[in-house]
Amino acid sequence: MQKHVEFTYNGKTLRGMMHLPHGIHGKVPMVAIFHGFTGNKMEPHFIFVKLSRQLEKVGIASVRFDFYGSGESDGDFSEMTFSGELEDARQIIKFIKNEPVTDVENIGILGLSMGGAVAGVIASELKEEIKALALWAPAFNMPELILEQSKSADEKMLGMLEREGIIDIGGLALSKEFIDDLIKLNIFEFSKGYDKPVLIVHGTEDAAVKYEVSDKILEEVYRGNAKRITIEGADHTFNKLEWEKKAIEESINFFKENLKG
């Protein structure tokens, strides 16, 4: 069963979907699913919808919210910052904990790309509350990526940033505030300290977040409590049926094992 959910904090309304296992009695484990940069609560080829529906089948609930400025939530994309998404994520976990159906001893997070970076930081902050963490192509290197892109930006783009405080990325207005906020952060450092089970799913041909980034995450951040599932040939968002199937199945098995209903 799925239903529309929303909540408001500081005048901002976030909108999403909640998925609940059929015929539940009592409380169930719950997973918060965080979308990526320029993404939304469905993500490419509806992979998040498919994930939530598969979680339903194994008795695990989930929520998929659009972050502020994305999808159907309030705000414009130009108002989005990484720090803002961190606060959205904190409020989403608070929302989950207040849901009567949630087994608060069994809350998990799954994040894709920049949503994975958000998930890493939040899991570290709330490590006593988050039982399991799954990261798909986690963009812990977002600050470095933004710096590289800023250096290689053409004069027209830099001029627009200087004049208007935004740059046009495929019809979305990315703000100077987003860039200034992000480049001050060390996501690898902020994610350290989470000592519960972690799953990383990463494709070897990911052009957006290089496969080597998850090498660094394994070595420097989690050091023993994480395992990685490598999907040979897969791109950033698992855009083939076989890649998608592998990412979803491995994540379902991970949460089944680590979120005890």
Side-chain angles (χ1 to χ4, degrees), residues 131-134 194-199 225-226 254 258:
K131 188 83 172 290
L133 173 65
Y194 184 73
D195 56 2
K196 296 183 177 69
V198 178
L199 174 72
N225 57 305
F254 172 74
N258 292 291

Side-chain angles (χ1 to χ4, degrees), residues 62-126:
S62 62
V63 291
R64 302 178 284 109
F65 277 96
D66 291 323
F67 286 126
Y68 184 75
S70 293
E72 295 179 310
S73 288
D74 278 4
D76 186 80
F77 190 79
S78 62
E79 301 172 87
M80 182 274 299
T81 64
F82 189 83
S83 293
E85 290 201 355
L86 288 176
E87 186 55 31
D88 289 350
R90 294 181 192 106
Q91 296 295 328
I92 290 167
I93 299 301
K94 183 178 178 181
F95 170 85
I96 284 174
K97 289 171 63 182
N98 288 333
E99 280 294 301
V101 74
T102 303
D103 176 359
V104 295
E105 299 298 318
N106 285 289
I107 294 174
I109 300 177
L110 182 145
L112 167 66
S113 192
M114 191 169 89
V118 170
V121 175
I122 293 301
S124 177
E125 283 186 11
L126 305 177

Side-chain angles (χ1 to χ4, degrees), residues 22-182:
H22 180 70
I24 59 171
H25 301 285
K27 298 181 183 295
V28 293
M30 181 81 76
V31 175
I33 301 174
F34 298 156
H35 68 75
F37 181 67
T38 75
N40 59 60
K41 63 182 178 291
M42 294 191 295
E43 283 294 6
H45 47 103
F46 317 121
I47 191 169
F48 276 3
V49 181
K50 296 169 186 175
L51 171 67
S52 285
R53 290 176 178 171
Q54 290 301 315
L55 284 168
E56 283 181 49
K57 291 179 181 179
V58 298
I60 298 173
S62 62
V63 291
R64 302 178 284 109
F65 277 96
D66 291 323
F67 286 126
Y68 184 75
S70 293
E72 295 179 310
S73 288
D74 278 4
D76 186 80
F77 190 79
S78 62
E79 301 172 87
M80 182 274 299
T81 64
F82 189 83
S83 293
E85 290 201 355
L86 288 176
E87 186 55 31
D88 289 350
R90 294 181 192 106
Q91 296 295 328
I92 290 167
I93 299 301
K94 183 178 178 181
F95 170 85
I96 284 174
K97 289 171 63 182
N98 288 333
E99 280 294 301
V101 74
T102 303
D103 176 359
V104 295
E105 299 298 318
N106 285 289
I107 294 174
I109 300 177
L110 182 145
L112 167 66
S113 192
M114 191 169 89
V118 170
V121 175
I122 293 301
S124 177
E125 283 186 11
L126 305 177
K127 60 185 175 183
E128 300 306 318
E129 301 169 49
I130 306 304
K131 188 83 172 290
L133 173 65
L135 304 171
W136 286 2
F140 281 31
N141 63 329
M142 276 294 290
E144 294 88 339
L145 289 174
I146 290 295
L147 277 173
E148 287 171 14
Q149 290 173 7
S150 297
K151 289 175 183 175
S152 62
D154 59 32
E155 289 184 14
K156 184 178 180 181
M157 186 177 289
L158 291 173
M160 184 179 187
L161 188 64
E162 187 67 29
R163 290 189 314 273
E164 302 177 38
I166 60 167
I167 53 175
D168 184 336
I169 53 165
L172 292 170
L174 183 69
S175 70
K176 187 175 185 297
E177 286 75 19
F178 173 85
I179 298 168
D180 291 343
D181 173 67
L182 187 60

Side-chain angles (χ1 to χ4, degrees), residues 235-252:
D235 59 12
H236 187 52
T237 51
F238 315 116
N239 289 299
K240 273 190 178 180
L241 288 173
E242 61 181 290
W243 301 338
E244 173 190 85
K245 183 172 184 285
K246 179 81 168 172
I248 291 174
E249 283 184 350
E250 292 289 351
S251 302
I252 297 295

